Structures are given as C-alpha cells and as structure tokens.
Amino acid sequence: MSIAIAAASGGQQPLHSSTMRRRVIAGTTIGNALEFFDFTVFTFLMLVIGPLFFPAASSYGQLLLTTATFGVGFLMRPVGGMLIGSYADRHGRRAAMTLTLWLMGLGCALIAAAPTYAQLGVAGPVLMVLARLIQGFAAGGEVGASTTLLVEHAPANRRGFYSSWQFGSQSLGVMLGALTVALLTATLSKDQMQAWGWRVPFVIGILTVPVGAYIRRNLEETLDPAPQPTLKPAHGAEAVRAAPTHQPLRRVFTEHKALVVKGILLVIGGMVCAQIIGFYMPAYANKELGLPATSTLFASVVLGAIGFVLAPFVGMLADRVGRKKVIFWSRAATVCALLPCFQWLVSAPSTARLMTVIALLAVLLALQTAPVITMLPELFPKAVRTTGMSVVYGLGISVFGGFAQFFVTWLLHVTGNPMAPAWYLMVTVTLSTVVLFWIQDRTGHAIDTQEA
C-alpha cells in the first residue's frame, strides 16, 4: 500500500488521493495527445509535402526523402530523452513535461512557417529538418516524464492501468492528426492543399500548446527533493552546502547497462509495428495499392480510436494476469497474423479490406504496447527512472521505429514485393519478443522503498 504524502498548506489534495490520481491521468493524457498530434501529423501529409520541398526528385525519391525527414525527428529522441529525462530526475517530472510541450510547439511553428523549395530554395527543406529535430527532442523527453509520473502516482496493483493511458493518449493524438488531415483532404482541392491547407494542422498544434501547459501546471510532483550533502565546516566556520552530485544519466549507463539493453530490445517490436501500421499504411495503401488518400487516412483514424479505447482495458488485463503473458501472446498472434493480413489486402485492395486489416492489427498493437510501456519504468529505481526509461524508449524507437518507414520504402523499391512490410514486421517483432525471458515481471510488486 502506498503511503500518502501529506498535503501542503492551502487545502491541496494528498499526492496519492483518488482525486489527484484522476487529475494526473487527465492532465497527462490531454497533454500527451496534443504533443503526439503535433509530432505525427507530419507523416499524414508526406504525399503533399514531398513535391513542395523536394520537387527535383522522382515520385519514389520524394517519398523516400520525406520519410527520411520524418525519421530525423527520431534521431533526436534519444538525445531529448537523455537530457530531459535527466532534468526530470533532478528537477521534477512536471517541469520536464511542461518544457516538452513548448518545444513541440516551437517545432510546429517552424513547419507552419517553412518556405517551400520554390519560395526559398534549399532553405525550406533545411528549416523543415530543423523543426523535426526539435520535435524529436521534445517527444524523446515527453514519454519518459509522463509515463513515470503516471506510474509513481499509481497503486502497485494498478500501474498497468495508469501507464496504459500513455499509449492511449498517443493513439488519441494519432487519431486526431489523421482525422484533421482526412477532413482537409476531403474538403479542399489539391491546389488548396498544396498552397496552404497542409499548414493548417501545424497551426492548430501551435494553438494547443498553451492549453496543455495550463493543464499540467496544477499536477502534483512525485519526485522528492534530493537532500544536498553538507560539507563539514572548518573550526569556527559555518557549514556549507556541497554541489549536488546526483547524475542520473551517468548512473544509467554505468549501473544499469544491462537493463538499458534489455529495455531497447523489448521496445523495438511495438515501435516498429506502430510506425508501419499506424503511420506508413496511408502512403503504402495509396502509392502501392492505389487506394484513395482519404480512405487510407480514415484507416489511421480507426487505428487511433481502437488504441485509445482499448488501452485502459489492456492495462487492467496486464495488472491481473501479468505483463509478460499479455505481451508474449499478443506478439505471437501478431507474427501469425501479419502475412495473411497483407496477402489478403494485396490480393484485392479495397477500403473495406484495409479497414479490417488495420482494425485487427490495431487490437494486437494495443495488447502488446500498453504492457511494454508499463514495464519500462518498472525496470529502474526512482532516482533514475525517467532517465532510464527515456534512454531505452528513445534509442529503441530512433533507429528501428523512426526509420521503419524509410527501410520499408527502400525494401519495396529494391524487391518489388508488396509483402516487404509484413516480413520486416515479423522479423523485428520476433526478435523483440525473445528478450522477455530475461526481464523480471514486476506486476503487483512495489517498485519504490516507500511502498510496503
């Protein structure tokens, strides 16, 4: 049972009261959804952005360069995770979460204002890449800080439910991003989309940042201030405070190297599935299968909606039967389903088949991802928890997740095989599942010394 921390003066709720826990879930979910709307909406606009910023390239080259631009945002995620995670472990989770919101808004502003290649030459693509780097930096710090706050507020027997809102809020952001682009595509002409329509989602992203920052301002902090060591005074002198020695990043890489490696291997399966199923499928179904852009975007809306609705139920299931069981069997089902799903879709492409495949894979994605997000912060002690999770999540997603679209686009071009995405997913999910045998399942167990 968690020991409730007494409320400060002013009649505030105790840290672990049911009221504060509900507020933390709401504040984290809303802010995280806004950030992932800002970060992921770019991918739904790749087919519009490509010709505007890379006009000299072929159709394939434009898609490849645009997916690479999307991918560079993931290069900064481990950097953001390390630096913002370390900041969160020293100065608090809430402060870090507020910082990531404003950085994400800055990235949106740069994209919304970026001149196209026709307007300012190479400066446009350069500014676009810079914006994606800033957004990647922010996203890298957001996941670790917000998930840690959820886990540390949760009772030991409900951590899966609480942290599942991290995945649920990401899915909500994806759903809103895809829905926004789908509505713009359906209501604007092609010329209007190319002239100004593609900028609208990023302007919306800018406007939502103050809302998320306001919501998060009133969340209670879970990180206890670290006591500063006092230097022994010389004879007749006053005691002085020594400089803080807490270095979360150094501790993670020196004391917890094995956990970092295990965590990265664990996370890559779900991240690759999320990137291919959630973000690449619109471009794949449109370019490779010839389906209308609006139908493929609404497929991503379906995926986001399923993830948002199912996430808390998956979290409760993981709390009841254990994280490892849910992850293992859902990944086994994913590997078995991928090839038949892609073969069925490719054999007779249609909007109905695409929606069916996306819906099935979305259920399996939710089943494997929500428990993984719970296990990551459970791997590390409280003093380095945000840093440890951020490093694992950032490194795992930066290469395998962020450039999954790039790899699959390249594989499709080289092999000419429309089944390439399925094979890529099957290999990465299988490799990511094996590491479960070397990870301890902390379901229902205390993770901090203050829990009994």
Side-chain angles (χ1 to χ4, degrees):
M1 178 179 180
S2 300
I3 299 177
I5 299 178
S9 60
Q12 291 179 324
Q13 292 290 338
L15 180 64
H16 293 302
S17 71
S18 58
T19 300
M20 181 52 63
R21 285 170 171 161
R22 287 193 296 269
R23 189 183 301 170
V24 166
I25 290 177
T28 302
T29 300
I30 294 171
N32 203 44
L34 295 178
E35 286 210 47
F36 273 84
F37 171 90
D38 296 346
F39 186 71
T40 59
V41 73
F42 182 92
T43 192
F44 301 122
L45 291 162
M46 286 193 299
L47 297 179
V48 179
I49 291 174
L52 294 174
F53 286 85
F54 307 104
S58 64
S59 177
Y60 160 71
Q62 289 172 358
L63 182 58
L64 197 63
L65 288 170
T66 312
T67 55
T69 304
F70 176 77
V72 296
F74 287 82
L75 288 179
M76 289 300 290
R77 291 186 76 161
V79 179
M82 292 176 194
L83 297 182
I84 297 178
S86 180
Y87 176 80
D89 281 331
R90 286 186 287 182
H91 301 287
R93 288 69 164 110
R94 186 179 60 183
M97 291 163 61
T98 303
L99 173 62
T100 62
L101 268 174
W102 288 109
L103 287 172
M104 189 67 74
L106 174 60
C108 272
L110 291 176
I111 294 176
T116 64
Y117 190 89
Q119 292 171 329
L120 206 60
V122 73
V126 169
L127 188 60
M128 187 72 76
V129 170
L130 175 62
R132 291 299 300 168
L133 291 174
I134 294 173
Q135 288 190 320
F137 184 87
E142 163 68 18
V143 174
S146 58
T147 308
T148 298
L149 191 73
L150 286 166
V151 165
E152 291 176 347
H153 270 281
N157 63 346
R158 301 197 71 196
R159 284 197 301 268
F161 171 74
Y162 276 66
S163 62
S164 69
W165 288 98
Q166 166 62 248
F167 175 71
S169 60
Q170 291 185 29
S171 300
L172 178 61
V174 171
M175 181 186 74
L176 294 176
L179 183 61
T180 300
V181 176
L183 292 176
L184 287 171
T185 303
T187 55
L188 299 180
S189 68
K190 183 178 180 181
D191 289 341
Q192 288 174 321
M193 278 296 293
Q194 290 182 335
W196 55 269
W198 69 271
R199 300 182 190 271
V200 172
F202 301 105
V203 174
I204 294 173
I206 299 170
L207 298 176
T208 60
V209 169
V211 177
Y214 174 79
I215 292 170
R216 289 182 168 183
R217 186 177 64 182
N218 297 316
L219 299 182
E220 287 285 357
E221 181 56 61
T222 56
L223 180 67
D224 301 323
Q228 296 183 359
T230 303
L231 296 178
K232 185 177 180 180
H235 181 69
E238 294 184 358
V240 295
R241 292 287 184 183
T245 57
H246 181 43
Q247 298 179 321
L249 189 58
R250 181 185 62 81
R251 288 185 58 188
V252 165
F253 283 107
T254 56
E255 301 174 17
H256 306 289
K257 294 188 294 292
L259 293 178
V260 169
V261 174
K262 292 175 184 178
I264 290 173
L265 292 174
L266 175 66
V267 80
I268 60 175
M271 294 304 100
V272 170
C273 282
Q275 294 305 311
I276 299 300
I277 298 169
F279 302 135
Y280 185 75
M281 286 298 280
Y284 170 79
N286 181 256
K287 299 288 285 188
E288 301 293 331
L289 306 181
L291 296 180
T294 50
S295 67
T296 60
L297 285 168
F298 279 115
S300 293
V301 173
V302 169
L303 178 133
I306 289 174
F308 178 63
V309 172
L310 282 187
F313 295 101
V314 175
M316 289 188 285
L317 177 65
D319 281 330
R320 185 175 181 86
V321 304
R323 329 274 191 236
K324 292 174 71 171
K325 288 182 180 178
V326 178
I327 296 169
F328 179 84
W329 289 111
S330 62
R331 285 186 170 177
T334 299
V335 171
C336 293
L338 280 169
L339 210 54
C341 281
F342 271 82
Q343 286 176 334
W344 184 61
L345 176 61
V346 171
S347 65
S350 68
T351 300
R353 288 197 176 198
L354 176 65
M355 294 291 187
T356 303
V357 168
I358 288 289
L360 173 60
L361 295 180
V363 172
L364 296 175
L365 178 64
L367 282 167
Q368 67 161 303
T369 305
V372 168
I373 289 179
T374 308
M375 293 188 78
L376 295 182
E378 290 178 333
L379 292 173
F380 299 94
K382 188 170 188 175
V384 297
R385 182 167 295 141
T386 307
T387 306
M389 177 178 178
S390 298
V391 167
V392 165
Y393 193 88
L395 290 175
I397 198 172
S398 63
V399 177
F400 296 94
F403 283 93
Q405 299 186 52
F406 179 86
F407 293 148
V408 169
T409 300
W410 177 78
L411 283 172
L412 283 167
H413 181 72
V414 171
T415 65
N417 186 350
M419 302 303 297
W423 289 110
Y424 182 77
L425 283 171
M426 291 171 67
V427 171
T428 53
V429 171
T430 300
L431 292 175
S432 185
T433 304
V434 174
V435 75
L436 277 174
F437 296 102
W438 289 274
I439 294 180
Q440 181 182 0
D441 193 333
R442 304 293 298 277
T443 302
H445 296 288
I447 57 172
D448 292 322
T449 56
Q450 70 265 27
E451 292 185 21

